[in-house]
Amino acid sequence: MSKSPTVHRRRLGSELRKLREAAQRTHREVAAHLDCSQGKISQIELGRVPVRTADVRLMAELYGSSSEQVTTLLELAEGSKKRGWWQAYASTARRNGFDTYLGLETAAGAVSTFGADPIPELLQTEEYCSALLATEREAITEDEVSERLAITATRQQRLLGEHSLELYSVLDESALRRGVGGPRVMRAQLEHLVLMSYRRNVTLRVLPFGSGAHPLLGDRVTAFSFRETGDPQVVHVGDSTNSRFWEKPAETAPYLAALERVCALALSPKDSTMLISSIADEHRE
């Protein structure tokens, strides 16, 4: 099982929802059995809160679950209570659903991304990231800047090692041409992208300006895929002020189809690397 408590909670919530529906029980009936609000049951099934072992047992009892099902549910409940590495940076990680995002990314086997500028954090150099954070200095403290840098560095470790994360990233050309931090910082960032593109687990493609309109204009989209067959793909759509997570097939399908369309419009990995290199040359001081 995944070590991420976020995925344990979501999987537990999904299993409890399926059992409730199979038992033909309503949220009101379950809430009365647990002596709690209907809202709490909804939050549990959405995987947004940890669940007490006692509550899991009561719900399983109401649903007539088998002993094997109860064992699985209790294992998931225990896993949902564990601390994720990002909880050491609680003040930063809890903003705008970022802790959920980090939990999903930590558990994912593959991540697909698309967005306009800036360059995705998994691919940012420290200097590029620092230059971006400098624009927020009036809104965040020096400690929060340090936390953001530490979180980014920890996330990037997923791209290294034996069981590395598979990253498929379509970069809008605007992200390559916006001169964040000045020519030296930008050139180093672009050269870093070229080096990362040589890794077997990283696929970079550039969506050029010439591709015109596309179905994800104005959106930043990330799709998380998991190695466990019981975990559905999750799509995150967000920006600096909004963060939404979708996991039902009817919700994720339009975004996954849009990602495929954007990928089809993008340059090949080889041509993308060549374009990134040529833009890096333009940033020479």
Side-chain angles (χ1 to χ4, degrees):
M1 287 185 181
S2 163
K3 296 181 180 179
S4 170
T6 303
V7 174
H8 278 89
R9 284 200 302 270
R10 296 174 81 87
R11 194 184 305 164
L12 174 61
S14 176
E15 292 301 317
L16 288 171
R17 176 182 55 78
K18 291 175 184 176
L19 289 170
R20 176 181 61 78
E21 291 174 347
Q24 298 183 325
R25 297 290 187 172
T26 65
H27 281 169
R28 177 176 294 182
E29 290 174 316
V30 182
H33 191 66
L34 269 65
D35 192 22
C36 68
S37 68
Q38 294 182 55
K40 177 180 177 179
I41 304 304
S42 178
Q43 291 293 299
I44 288 173
E45 291 186 354
L46 289 170
R48 293 177 179 170
V49 294
V51 192
R52 295 188 309 165
T53 301
D55 287 342
V56 172
R57 290 187 181 278
L58 285 171
M59 295 168 83
E61 173 187 71
L62 181 63
Y63 304 152
S65 305
S66 67
S67 58
E68 291 81 3
Q69 288 173 322
V70 172
T71 298
T72 299
L73 293 173
L74 292 177
E75 288 177 352
L76 290 171
E78 287 301 314
S80 72
K81 298 174 188 175
K82 294 179 180 178
R83 286 176 57 84
W85 62 265
W86 56 91
Q87 290 177 291
Y89 310 100
S91 62
T92 299
R94 288 175 182 167
R95 289 187 175 184
N96 297 326
F98 194 32
D99 53 347
T100 298
Y101 188 101
L102 293 174
L104 292 169
E105 185 180 87
T106 297
V111 171
S112 301
T113 70
F114 170 76
D117 49 25
I119 288 166
E121 291 177 337
L122 285 174
L123 297 168
Q124 292 177 6
T125 64
E126 183 176 350
E127 286 187 315
Y128 180 95
C129 185
S130 295
L132 287 174
L133 292 174
T135 66
E136 303 180 40
R137 288 298 166 86
E138 294 183 0
I140 60 177
T141 66
E142 289 297 324
D143 286 343
E144 288 174 316
V145 169
S146 297
E147 282 196 358
R148 291 272 285 274
L149 290 172
I151 288 172
T152 299
T154 301
R155 291 170 63 193
Q156 291 175 349
Q157 291 300 307
R158 287 281 340 265
L159 296 175
L160 310 174
E162 185 178 354
H163 302 291
S164 54
L165 176 71
E166 296 284 338
L167 176 64
Y168 306 88
S169 187
V170 179
L171 307 173
D172 193 281
E173 187 175 346
S174 62
L176 308 178
R177 295 194 178 279
R178 189 173 301 282
V180 175
R184 183 186 61 80
V185 170
M186 200 63 201
R187 184 178 69 253
Q189 172 63 74
L190 295 174
E191 290 172 346
H192 177 67
L193 290 179
V194 172
L195 289 175
M196 292 302 293
S197 72
Y198 295 146
R199 297 191 61 85
R200 291 183 178 180
N201 61 308
V202 176
T203 301
L204 301 185
R205 303 183 71 168
V206 176
L207 184 69
F209 290 141
S211 63
H214 59 81
L216 290 178
L217 273 173
D219 285 327
R220 294 188 65 83
V221 176
T222 302
F224 302 96
S225 301
F226 306 94
R227 294 187 175 94
E228 293 283 343
T229 56
D231 293 327
Q233 280 185 296
V234 178
V235 170
H236 172 262
V237 182
D239 54 30
S240 59
T241 57
N242 294 294
S243 188
R244 292 166 290 162
F245 296 91
W246 309 112
E247 63 179 88
K248 293 180 180 178
E251 298 169 338
T252 60
Y255 289 105
L256 296 175
L259 277 171
E260 287 188 12
R261 176 60 179 156
V262 168
C263 191
L265 292 170
L267 300 175
S268 69
K270 180 179 179 180
D271 288 343
S272 296
T273 300
M274 291 176 63
L275 177 59
I276 295 170
S277 296
S278 69
I279 297 175
D281 288 340
E282 296 174 10
H283 284 282
R284 296 199 179 278
E285 297 174 290

